[in-house]
């Protein structure tokens, strides 16, 4: 019993150094209302210029919907498909077109859609979330045109983000 106070004192002396090493909070970045909407509009417009009617969704890093734009002629299924592409890309911080082959074990996981068109929004070394586009037909690989349009949307806001801070 005499050793208990000594052990408690040793634990108290060691504990603060471990706690001090880790910050009590984290700082993250989130796309603004305007940037999220500009991204969706520009992604959808990139597909429209090719003659395709699509839906574009932007989610934050946690997969929460920030913005959605749907061409009036895009199928209603594209709403959920674009959101799921964005959620999947945000969750794995990887473009979904790169996940189509190597991640088959996740095919039936909830809220995971392994079809091209989801692209992470990573600008200036910061991860903001992801964009998902759905509705364009494939040229070579399923989702390849959706992927191109999503990247065009990101390119449209890149300069705003890089030089806006």
């Amino acid at each position: 019993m005499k050793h208990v106070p000594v052990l408690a004192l040793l634990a108290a002396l060691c504990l603060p150094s471990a706690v001090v090493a880790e910050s009590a909070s984290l700082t993250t970045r989130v796309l603004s209302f305007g940037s999220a909407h500009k991204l969706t509009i520009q992604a959808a417009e990139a597909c429209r210029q090719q003659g395709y009617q699509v839906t574009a969704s932007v989610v934050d890093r946690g997969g929460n919907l920030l913005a959605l734009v749907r061409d009036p002629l895009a199928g209603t299924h594209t709403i959920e498909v674009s959101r799921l592409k964005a959620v999947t890309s945000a969750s794995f911080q990887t473009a979904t077109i790169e996940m189509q082959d190597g991640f088959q074990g996740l095919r039936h996981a909830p809220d995971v859609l392994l079809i091209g068109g989801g692209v992470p929004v990573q600008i200036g070394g910061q991860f903001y979330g992801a964009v998902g586009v759905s509705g364009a037909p494939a040229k070579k690989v399923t989702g390849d045109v959706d992927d191109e349009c999503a990247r065009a949307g990101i390119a449209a806001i890149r300069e705003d983000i890089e030089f806006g801070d």
Side-chain angles (χ1 to χ4, degrees):
M1 287 295 195
K2 293 181 180 182
H3 297 292
V4 173
V6 172
L7 290 174
L9 179 62
L10 285 173
L13 291 174
C14 293
L15 186 61
S17 64
V19 173
V20 173
E22 184 176 326
S23 177
S25 65
L26 299 172
T27 302
T28 62
R29 297 207 173 190
V30 179
L31 291 174
S32 69
F33 176 85
S35 292
H37 282 85
K38 182 176 180 178
L39 197 165
T40 58
I41 290 167
Q42 293 301 313
E45 185 60 33
C47 275
R48 180 186 282 219
Q49 289 174 0
Q50 297 178 59
Y52 307 125
Q53 297 80 36
V54 301
T55 298
S57 299
V58 172
V59 299
D60 63 17
R61 62 188 301 121
N64 301 300
L65 188 65
L66 292 174
L68 182 139
V69 171
R70 178 181 162 265
D71 185 288
L73 300 176
T76 57
H77 69 283
T78 63
I79 296 169
E80 185 64 6
V81 171
S82 70
R83 186 189 72 79
L84 286 174
K85 288 179 180 185
V87 168
T88 301
S89 182
S91 181
F92 293 95
Q93 296 185 24
T94 303
T96 56
I97 201 163
E98 297 170 12
M99 300 174 68
Q100 290 182 148
D101 295 328
F103 291 76
Q104 293 307 311
L106 295 172
R107 178 139 323 266
H108 300 292
D111 291 332
V112 172
L113 188 58
L114 303 176
I115 299 172
V119 180
V121 180
Q122 294 175 314
I123 300 172
Q126 298 291 323
F127 174 63
Y128 291 88
V131 57
V133 176
S134 176
K139 287 183 181 175
K140 294 180 182 177
V141 178
T142 303
D144 57 356
V145 177
D146 291 337
D147 183 89
E148 291 172 15
C149 295
R151 292 176 191 277
I154 294 169
I157 66 162
R158 183 173 304 281
E159 194 171 291
D160 296 345
I161 303 297
E162 287 178 341
F163 296 109
D165 293 337

